[in-house]
Amino acid sequence: VRCVQETGVHGDQMLNWLNKDLEIANSDEIRKQRPWIIFINHQPVYCSDNMKECNENPEKLKFLEEILINYKVDMFLAGHQHDYERTYPMRFGQIAQSQTLKDFSKQNYFVDAEAPIHINEGAASIMLNARNLKTNFKEFTIKKQKSIGSFGVFEAHNETHFQYQHIDSISGQTLDEVYLIKPLKAIPAEQLKLNKVGIFLFIGIISFAAIFTILFGYYLQKQNEEEIDEKHTEETYKTILRSEEGMTSKATYLFEN
């Protein structure tokens, strides 16, 4: 999205479209399908180079920042400045609040941030290194790098984890990365009650099926044992009869002789 900054009819039309589009993107229904909103603009809102845009844009693009925060945009990507720069989550010139993870870097992992982080991925050209831009840092800057030939890759792993990597074009080395993390939303009480009913019903069905399987297996085992006993009794009876018949025949033979 390249935001039209000038006033007038065309600018108003663009802003109306942008607000409507982000309103839909931020709705619960769409967020369930696509949990992350990444906003792409040509010029950055925040940058630390000693240039006109970096000094004026935080105020000049304040109207745009209001839109970003209102619709809970997760990341703002820009170019224009020919270097790489990544900020903390930013809210109207101030570093916004975010939770941190124990034993993890506070500069590379942001949990449930109140505002988007800003990334300027403008270091694609090696030749532009000749500009020798000074690597100025402002209080909102976490990482900054001159133009060396690099690019950015981002991946939405799932609804809770989003990863951005800044990669060297020649070596393939990851020069910088950041994770945005959102805790799983709590289940509403009414839905939780329904889920409990469903869980208990599911457990009841599984338990009934398990008991039925055990009893039916026991019944089949007994039937099998009875059939074996019957066969064994029948074979025993036949053996006894054959023995008796053999003894009778032998006695008759002895008596006759």
Side-chain angles (χ1 to χ4, degrees):
V1 178
R2 181 171 181 174
C3 182
V4 177
Q5 298 172 20
E6 68 270 15
T7 58
V9 177
H10 296 294
D12 291 341
Q13 289 178 346
M14 176 64 79
L15 289 178
N16 289 336
W17 166 82
L18 182 59
N19 277 283
K20 290 179 181 179
D21 189 68
L22 287 176
E23 182 179 7
I24 294 172
N26 191 44
S27 65
D28 291 340
E29 181 182 355
I30 300 301
R31 281 280 193 176
K32 288 178 181 179
Q33 302 172 29
R34 293 182 287 275
W36 303 93
I37 299 179
I38 312 303
F39 191 104
I40 301 175
N41 194 56
H42 177 70
Q43 289 201 9
V45 177
Y46 297 99
C47 54
S48 59
D49 290 335
N50 188 23
M51 300 181 71
K52 180 179 178 181
E53 294 87 352
C54 295
N55 296 324
E56 294 181 353
N57 280 1
E59 185 62 31
K60 186 178 180 181
L61 298 181
K62 191 173 182 179
F63 75 96
L64 178 59
E65 192 170 11
E66 290 177 353
I67 295 173
L68 302 178
I69 293 171
N70 185 40
Y71 295 110
K72 300 178 181 179
V73 170
D74 299 289
M75 180 180 289
F76 183 93
L77 288 178
H80 191 69
Q81 300 303 114
H82 294 169
D83 52 19
Y84 171 79
E85 185 168 6
R86 176 168 65 87
T87 75
Y88 288 94
M90 294 299 296
R91 182 184 181 94
F92 304 124
Q94 302 295 321
I95 297 174
Q97 291 186 355
S98 64
Q99 301 176 31
T100 56
L101 295 175
K102 185 179 180 181
D103 299 328
F104 284 86
S105 168
K106 296 181 180 180
Q107 295 185 336
N108 297 87
Y109 294 83
F110 297 101
V111 182
D112 207 16
E114 292 184 348
I117 68 170
H118 293 249
I119 293 180
N120 187 69
E121 188 65 77
S125 174
I126 297 177
M127 294 302 294
L128 287 172
N129 195 32
R131 293 180 60 181
N132 194 27
L133 296 174
K134 294 182 180 180
T135 52
N136 300 320
F137 275 74
K138 291 188 177 180
E139 63 278 1
F140 53 72
T141 305
I142 293 178
K143 181 79 173 181
K144 187 171 181 180
Q145 191 167 31
K146 295 180 181 180
S147 179
I148 60 170
S150 52
F151 60 94
V153 174
F154 58 80
E155 181 176 1
H157 293 283
N158 48 45
E159 62 181 306
T160 61
H161 287 71
F162 182 95
Q163 179 187 20
Y164 186 93
Q165 292 179 299
H166 174 61
I167 299 174
D168 188 307
S169 300
I170 298 175
S171 68
Q173 177 186 358
T174 298
L175 304 174
D176 185 38
E177 69 175 342
V178 60
Y179 282 87
L180 302 182
I181 301 172
K182 295 180 182 180
L184 289 172
K185 292 184 179 179
I187 302 175
E190 294 182 358
Q191 185 178 347
L192 187 60
K193 290 179 181 178
L194 292 175
N195 288 346
K196 285 183 177 179
V197 172
I199 290 171
F200 286 132
L201 181 61
F202 177 75
I203 292 174
I205 293 173
I206 294 298
S207 300
F208 175 80
I211 293 171
F212 176 80
T213 302
I214 293 171
L215 292 177
F216 186 68
Y218 179 76
Y219 168 77
L220 292 178
Q221 183 180 357
K222 283 296 182 181
Q223 287 287 102
N224 189 42
E225 289 177 355
E226 290 178 2
E227 290 179 2
I228 292 174
D229 289 340
E230 287 179 1
K231 289 181 179 179
H232 181 70
T233 302
E234 184 179 352
E235 290 296 328
T236 302
Y237 178 71
K238 290 179 178 179
T239 301
I240 293 172
L241 287 180
R242 286 196 295 270
S243 298
E244 290 179 349
E245 289 174 356
M247 291 177 65
T248 302
S249 299
K250 187 175 181 181
T252 303
Y253 173 79
L254 292 172
F255 178 77
E256 291 177 349
N257 292 284

